[in-house]
Amino acid sequence: MGITVSINAQITSENGNLMGEFINYEQNLIPDEDSEGFVVPDSTQLEQWKRMMDLFVAESYSQAEDSLSANFSDYEMVLLTDTSFIDRQYYLIREKTPVTLGWGLYASDPNYQRDVIVGVPHPIYDSFTPQQGVNMFQYLGGRLLAMAGTHRCSNDEASFSDGTTTVCNDTDTSEKFKVSDMAHYDSTAFQIAHESLKELSSNVYAINLHGHASSSCEDVFLSNGREDDPQPGLQAVRDSLIADNVDAAMTGDGSSCTLIGSTNVQGRFINGSTTPATEAPDNNTGFFFHVEQSRDIRRSLAGHIPVIDAFGELISRSFNTVTFPDYPSLTINEIHFNPDAINGDANNNGSVGSVSDEFLEIINTADTTIALDKWIVADNTSDRHVIESGTNILPGQALLLFGRDTFDGDFGGATVQAASTETLSLNNTGDKISIKTPANDVITFVEYPGTESGVSITLNPDITSDTLVSHSTADTDDNSLFSPGTKINGDTFLPFVEIDGNSGWRMMASPTSNLPIQDLVAFSPIQGFGDDHDKNFYTNYNGSSWEAPSSLSDSIKNGEGFIFYFFDNTNAESSELPLKLRATGSVPSSDVTIDLHTSGDNWNLIGNPFDSAIDFSSITINGGSLASSVGQIYDPSISNYVTTTSRDDTVAAWQGLFIENSSASSITIPTSAQTDGGTFLKTRSKDLSYVVLTLRSTELDLADELVIVLSPTAKTDWDLLDAEELTSLSINYVSFFGIGEKEEEEIRQSQFSIPVSFEEQINIPLKIGQVGTNSDLILSVSKLANVPDELELTLHNQSTNEYIDLLEGSFEPIILKEGNATDSYQLLLSNSANTSTEADPEVPARFEVYQNYPNPFNPSTNISYSLPEPSPVLIEVFNTSGALIRSTAFDQQVRGKQSFSFDGSSLSSGMYIYRITSNFGSKSGKMILLK
């Protein structure tokens, strides 16, 4: 404790210290059990202490300090300013170190609001009562706090007070109360504090805080220090506790609890006994309260609050009511205290360390973000970690603490820190871990057995369980030894995404319901709301322009898209990339329907509503139709849009995208659409055939794509697999698209849908351009997927009449000097197998029936099969009851792969069975119509 200034003679001031820290410091100095640390005051010392204490409680602090320094050089007076408690000032009498008398600590509030003395007679034996006493003293606005200065079982000498106890006797035989037991011996400085205040204020309330571990007692048991005659105030406190769902009782309730405080000398004195050590009082004034409490009530502020509240309702205050800080919930979810010598690399640094691989996993289980600046993680022995300044833990997020700073990885998006003392010192034989505020309020704790070896212990199920179990037993998937920062099965507690690359716009979506926009501000600034900067955040496209939220207090729903500009610098609270965004709220567990508009150009900004990649081809269209079922995703790595087709229809978690509506009222993305993989912009294998052509700048990270899709459902004019070209969000970009037709009007297209079988050559005029740059461009085939051998794709330069086969194995990328003549190119598509009478060049070895594609489908799908020799074919479709829905027969089909287009427009959603019969037998498949 640092002494800073002097005022009022010798009184010293301690500015900025917290009352709770001060009491905790003093508590650690108290002589322990079986010591002789308490000096019994003689009669002269008692008289001198009484004169000093009379001045102290009368708020004559300067005179009291003079008396203290003249007669008790081992003690000093301190003025403490508690900056955590509205800068309240308290005068304290404390013993200097080392402790030689053990007479206790006393605090006075010159601006008290309630005439109350809070007594803590057993600060070591009744654990947590010192901090509870501080809380009660401060929140009630009490007049005096008195804390004993020694363990109740320290001295061997017995007092002459009435009664016997077995508390301090290991052999469990009755003995007289010891002189160190402040509640049962009256010749003490602790008792004199009560006497001085009672003489000054006849109606002072005295609250004596105790702890019990008796199974016969309720969680809170109250008395007025007598076995009978409970006063109305006692009943009022009990009723208030019961109303707060506390198991509470009082004398007269018929409780079997015997801890009634009838030999408590402070209680006897307040009730009128002139010789409280030996004589019980005749009266019950109702101003003394003996409060016995279970450990659950004493151990944290959450337990203290109903007790403090109950007394706050009883005792009038000069202004306001009792108010408490709203400490949200934290849960210690996983503990790794004894790493396996070979497989114990929990911190993922490549080696096992008995200190570095120990960890604690702490989860914010509240619905608000917790600021944990300078909070404390402690074990039974001492404080082990002070949480770093600026630490904010979102609802559902994990705080992961390792023993040392050698960890490597993102650990499920957890906030990861190393113990500030360079060790968590988790005991292999069992320990108690506490999380405390900077004022030493215990918010939560867990006691664990040290029975496991080489494996962590974890709540199972995560967070909600009351029991810690072996991780390898809890993990039924692969029996893993630990899962730091994630759930038992490796899933993240809180959805997160990493934003990397360069500054620029990202098209995004929330993987949770009602994500508060303000939560995103914690990771990257959002500007243009109440300041003079341009907006960098929009949550809607209305068909003609971008729209921003009305306030940053708004939330983003599942399936709503948004765009966010990231700055990649440290200016104005920005962050350099990469950075992580985390989402609060719940991940949807059912199908998500996204409303659509038909305003303006009909483009809608939507997003993946799940915390996993989705197959975008699985969407269902409701109440009308889309202009295109192809999603358009802005890819910041090329400063341009790409189609969902070119990404195998896989849309990653957190990804936003554009879709073009026609008349649909909404789309539904089913939970079954979720798939493994996906990157923010693993893919899955599909039967869809397509070619991706990419035009890229040779100087800048700029590119654009053109996609050619071969589909069995494609039409000769515009269909759902066609997609328009969108203008880049960047000021510098490359432009590469084809000219198509939609509703008899010329249109710029980024994706063309072509029938699988076509006879006449298809010519697509190409447009090439650059904005904000003038570099050479390079054209390449960047992706081929299931392209049939008979497809021929040729680039024709009309100005030179040069033809280049783009699918030739030796094809090399084409360099266009500054774009060359941007209107001189066209793409030629032809089918070398353009007659239906010839068999496929590769003859199948046997009769095969393939899975229909797409599946699920709406309203049509393609059923494919292969024949090793010419044969008649019968195609039948049945419902699940076995009723024949449709039948088509072919007298003779040539050998090779065949396809049949099935239209389910007239059918209802459900499962159907298709059966193909030929000379080589019958084979069946299942397909799903999903409208």
Side-chain angles (χ1 to χ4, degrees):
M1 298 290 184
I3 305 300
T4 54
V5 296
S6 295
I7 62 171
N8 298 339
Q10 293 86 24
I11 299 174
T12 55
S13 175
E14 303 228 6
N15 292 308
N17 290 304
L18 309 182
M19 187 72 160
E21 287 183 337
F22 200 104
I23 298 298
N24 186 63
Y25 172 76
E26 295 294 325
Q27 182 184 351
N28 290 333
L29 300 178
I30 289 176
D32 207 348
E33 184 178 8
D34 298 327
S35 73
E36 294 297 318
F38 173 66
V39 174
V40 179
D42 59 30
S43 58
T44 300
Q45 289 174 318
L46 286 175
E47 291 175 2
Q48 292 170 336
W49 189 269
K50 181 67 167 60
R51 287 195 296 269
M52 182 277 302
M53 186 57 66
D54 287 344
L55 294 167
F56 185 67
V57 299
E59 301 167 32
S60 298
Y61 300 115
S62 181
Q63 292 88 339
E65 200 280 334
D66 287 340
S67 176
L68 189 70
S69 60
N71 298 300
F72 302 100
S73 58
D74 291 324
Y75 270 80
E76 64 180 351
M77 191 176 295
V78 171
L79 174 62
L80 182 146
T81 301
D82 190 340
T83 56
S84 73
F85 203 87
I86 56 176
D87 286 334
R88 290 293 290 275
Q89 290 188 319
Y90 305 96
Y91 286 90
L92 292 94
I93 294 174
R94 60 178 285 197
E95 189 166 9
K96 302 174 185 176
T97 55
V99 170
T100 57
L101 298 175
W103 289 0
L105 179 141
Y106 306 88
S108 171
D109 183 354
N111 298 301
Y112 68 90
Q113 285 94 51
R114 287 183 173 88
D115 205 0
V116 174
I117 177 172
V118 179
V120 184
H122 308 142
I124 299 295
Y125 192 85
D126 293 340
S127 59
F128 303 110
T129 53
Q131 188 60 55
Q132 184 187 21
V134 170
N135 288 335
M136 182 169 284
F137 173 62
Q138 290 192 297
Y139 291 118
L140 286 181
R143 190 167 185 172
L144 190 68
L145 170 68
M147 185 178 82
T150 188
H151 196 287
R152 71 179 298 186
C153 302
S154 61
N155 294 59
D156 291 334
E157 181 183 353
S159 74
F160 54 80
S161 297
D162 251 354
T164 59
T165 181
T166 59
V167 168
C168 300
N169 196 309
D170 293 337
T171 59
D172 204 31
T173 57
S174 295
E175 63 176 357
K176 295 287 287 182
F177 293 111
K178 294 187 176 184
V179 293
S180 53
D181 191 335
M182 295 298 107
H184 300 285
Y185 183 41
D186 66 348
S187 297
T188 65
F190 185 83
Q191 170 64 16
I192 285 174
H194 288 75
E195 293 175 3
S196 294
L197 190 55
K198 175 65 175 175
E199 292 169 3
L200 183 68
S201 177
S202 59
N203 291 329
V204 65
Y205 284 85
I207 303 172
N208 222 244
L209 298 176
H210 296 260
H212 77 76
S214 174
S215 60
S216 66
C217 292
E218 289 74 13
D219 281 342
V220 178
F221 185 80
L222 303 159
S223 80
N224 289 137
R226 290 170 55 99
E227 297 183 24
D228 57 2
D229 193 25
Q231 296 297 295
L234 193 70
Q235 180 175 337
V237 173
R238 180 205 61 182
D239 292 348
S240 176
L241 289 167
I242 293 173
D244 270 342
N245 298 314
V246 176
D247 180 21
M250 67 178 187
T251 51
D253 280 348
S255 171
S256 59
C257 187
T258 59
L259 302 174
I260 55 179
S262 59
T263 57
N264 188 305
V265 295
Q266 289 85 47
R268 287 181 170 185
F269 173 76
I270 296 296
N271 283 326
S273 174
T274 55
T275 54
T278 57
E279 293 185 15
D282 295 328
N283 301 311
N284 186 350
T285 64
F287 285 98
F288 178 77
F289 292 84
H290 183 94
V291 187
E292 291 285 351
Q293 304 159 102
S294 69
R295 186 182 185 90
D296 284 344
I297 296 295
R298 290 176 277 134
R299 67 182 179 179
S300 69
L301 182 60
H304 304 166
I305 283 176
V307 180
I308 299 171
D309 236 343
F311 283 105
E313 293 170 7
L314 172 69
I315 306 169
S316 61
R317 186 178 187 178
S318 57
F319 62 88
N320 295 331
T321 57
V322 182
T323 57
F324 305 98
D326 183 18
Y327 290 133
S329 176
L330 292 168
T331 297
I332 299 173
N333 191 66
E334 185 177 358
I335 305 171
H336 192 217
F337 55 85
N338 186 14
D340 181 84
I342 298 175
N343 301 307
D345 183 19
N347 65 7
N348 198 40
N349 71 344
S351 62
V352 178
S354 59
V355 175
S356 58
D357 284 303
E358 287 189 337
F359 70 79
L360 295 172
E361 180 185 81
I362 302 164
I363 312 298
N364 175 4
T365 49
D367 57 3
T368 56
T369 299
I370 309 178
L372 294 178
D373 292 20
K374 303 299 183 182
W375 284 39
I376 301 163
V377 178
D379 64 5
N380 261 330
T381 305
S382 63
D383 295 347
R384 297 297 181 181
H385 177 61
V386 177
I387 297 174
E388 298 169 7
S389 296
T391 300
N392 295 306
I393 306 299
L394 293 173
Q397 188 182 3
L399 171 64
L400 185 60
L401 305 179
F402 283 106
R404 287 186 182 160
D405 187 13
T406 55
F407 45 82
D408 182 23
D410 58 44
F411 301 100
T415 293
V416 189
Q417 297 179 9
S420 53
T421 60
E422 296 190 344
T423 179
L424 291 173
S425 194
L426 301 177
N427 198 319
N428 292 348
T429 59
D431 209 341
K432 183 182 80 173
I433 308 300
S434 301
I435 303 174
K436 304 184 294 184
T437 69
N440 280 290
D441 284 325
V442 177
I443 301 306
T444 189
F445 75 89
V446 63
E447 294 180 286
Y448 68 86
T451 54
E452 297 293 337
S453 178
V455 61
S456 74
I457 52 177
T458 182
L459 296 180
N460 182 32
D462 288 289
I463 301 174
T464 59
S465 174
D466 295 326
T467 306
L468 290 162
V469 300
S470 168
H471 192 286
S472 59
T473 302
D475 184 4
T476 56
D477 291 334
D478 59 10
N479 310 116
S480 59
L481 300 181
F482 36 70
S483 55
T486 66
K487 297 178 181 178
I488 295 170
N489 64 0
D491 290 346
T492 59
F493 286 104
L494 196 66
F496 77 98
V497 64
E498 183 170 272
I499 307 298
D500 55 12
N502 299 320
S503 61
W505 291 102
R506 303 298 192 277
M507 187 174 281
M508 308 187 70
S510 169
T512 62
S513 301
N514 298 319
L515 169 65
I517 297 173
Q518 194 64 52
D519 284 356
L520 299 176
V521 179
F523 306 101
S524 188
I526 295 178
Q527 67 180 30
F529 295 83
D531 55 42
D532 295 330
H533 301 293
D534 293 336
K535 286 184 171 62
N536 70 327
F537 191 86
Y538 295 90
T539 51
N540 187 36
Y541 179 79
N542 64 13
S544 58
S545 62
W546 293 101
E547 291 186 338
S550 59
S551 168
L552 295 186
S553 61
D554 290 353
S555 297
I556 302 169
K557 297 179 182 178
N558 272 131
E560 290 183 345
F562 62 93
I563 61 170
F564 198 164
Y565 189 96
F566 295 91
F567 293 100
D568 193 21
N569 59 46
T570 56
N571 300 331
E573 301 182 358
S574 297
S575 298
E576 292 182 343
L577 302 181
L579 62 79
K580 290 185 177 67
L581 293 184
R582 297 177 177 89
T584 56
S586 58
V587 175
S589 58
S590 58
D591 299 354
V592 176
T593 297
I594 306 169
D595 293 333
L596 302 178
H597 67 74
T598 55
S599 302
D601 59 16
N602 284 341
W603 284 99
N604 282 251
L605 178 62
I606 65 167
N608 178 355
F610 299 108
D611 188 29
S612 62
I614 59 170
D615 175 4
F616 194 68
S617 67
S618 299
I619 66 172
T620 301
I621 306 165
N622 308 312
S625 61
L626 297 177
S628 172
S629 63
V630 179
Q632 302 257 23
I633 300 172
Y634 186 73
D635 185 347
S637 68
I638 62 172
S639 297
N640 229 316
Y641 287 90
V642 297
T643 67
T644 50
T645 303
S646 70
R647 298 301 185 263
D648 292 320
D649 278 334
T650 302
V651 177
W654 286 87
Q655 186 66 69
L657 66 159
F658 265 135
I659 60 171
E660 188 180 8
N661 192 17
S662 178
S663 59
S665 60
S666 64
I667 62 168
T668 297
I669 302 179
T671 56
S672 59
Q674 296 180 83
T675 179
D676 293 334
T679 56
F680 181 62
L681 219 163
K682 301 164 157 201
T683 62
R684 59 188 186 85
S685 176
K686 295 188 65 172
D687 294 333
L688 194 64
S689 300
Y690 63 88
V691 180
V692 180
L693 302 177
T694 300
L695 186 70
R696 185 178 300 277
S697 168
T698 57
E699 297 178 3
L700 303 174
D701 292 330
L702 305 175
D704 198 8
E705 293 181 353
L706 177 65
V707 182
I708 307 298
V709 180
L710 281 78
S711 169
T713 62
K715 301 176 182 178
T716 55
D717 54 0
W718 182 273
D719 62 49
L720 287 175
L721 285 177
D722 288 304
E724 288 189 30
E725 172 80 358
L726 293 178
T727 302
S728 172
L729 294 174
S730 174
I731 58 174
N732 302 320
Y733 59 91
V734 167
S735 179
F736 177 45
F737 55 87
I739 301 299
E741 188 175 282
K742 180 181 180 184
E743 297 177 353
E744 299 182 353
E745 292 185 4
E746 186 177 279
I747 191 172
R748 307 188 316 173
Q749 283 188 234
S750 60
Q751 181 164 309
F752 286 81
S753 175
I754 306 298
V756 172
S757 298
F758 59 95
E759 295 185 5
E760 296 183 2
Q761 179 176 280
I762 299 173
N763 299 341
I764 300 175
L766 300 179
K767 297 291 184 180
I768 297 171
Q770 304 178 69
V771 175
T773 179
N774 195 29
S775 64
D776 292 345
L777 304 175
I778 186 167
L779 178 66
S780 64
V781 178
S782 56
K783 192 171 185 179
L784 291 170
N786 305 313
V787 176
D789 293 338
E790 57 267 26
L791 178 67
E792 295 180 353
L793 190 63
T794 305
L795 181 69
H796 179 208
N797 187 338
Q798 298 176 91
S799 62
T800 64
N801 205 31
E802 180 183 11
Y803 293 85
I804 302 173
D805 185 354
L806 298 179
L807 300 183
E808 184 180 313
S810 60
F811 165 73
E812 295 184 358
I814 304 165
I815 296 179
L816 308 177
K817 295 295 184 181
E818 297 183 0
N820 291 52
T822 59
D823 296 332
S824 63
Y825 293 94
Q826 63 178 181
L827 198 61
L828 309 179
L829 293 94
S830 57
N831 188 347
S832 61
N834 56 9
T835 60
S836 59
T837 58
E838 294 184 11
D840 290 344
E842 292 185 9
V843 178
R846 59 183 179 274
F847 173 52
E848 293 286 356
V849 174
Y850 306 102
Q851 181 65 52
N852 65 299
Y853 181 80
N855 188 45
F857 64 98
N858 181 24
S860 60
T861 188
N862 192 61
I863 301 171
S864 298
Y865 52 95
S866 60
L867 302 171
E869 296 292 340
S871 170
V873 172
L874 174 64
I875 302 174
E876 298 168 292
V877 178
F878 305 85
N879 63 21
T880 53
S881 298
L884 180 64
I885 301 299
R886 195 166 302 164
S887 175
T888 302
F890 297 92
D891 292 336
Q892 188 79 348
Q893 286 192 313
V894 298
R895 65 180 180 175
K897 190 171 183 179
Q898 309 291 334
S899 64
F900 173 78
S901 181
F902 176 78
D903 190 344
S905 300
S906 61
L907 302 177
S908 59
S909 295
M911 179 181 290
Y912 294 88
I913 299 167
Y914 56 89
R915 182 172 67 191
I916 313 296
T917 302
S918 71
N919 287 340
F920 311 101
S922 295
K923 292 188 178 183
S924 302
K926 296 178 181 179
M927 59 185 178
I928 298 174
L929 174 59
L930 190 61
K931 291 187 175 180

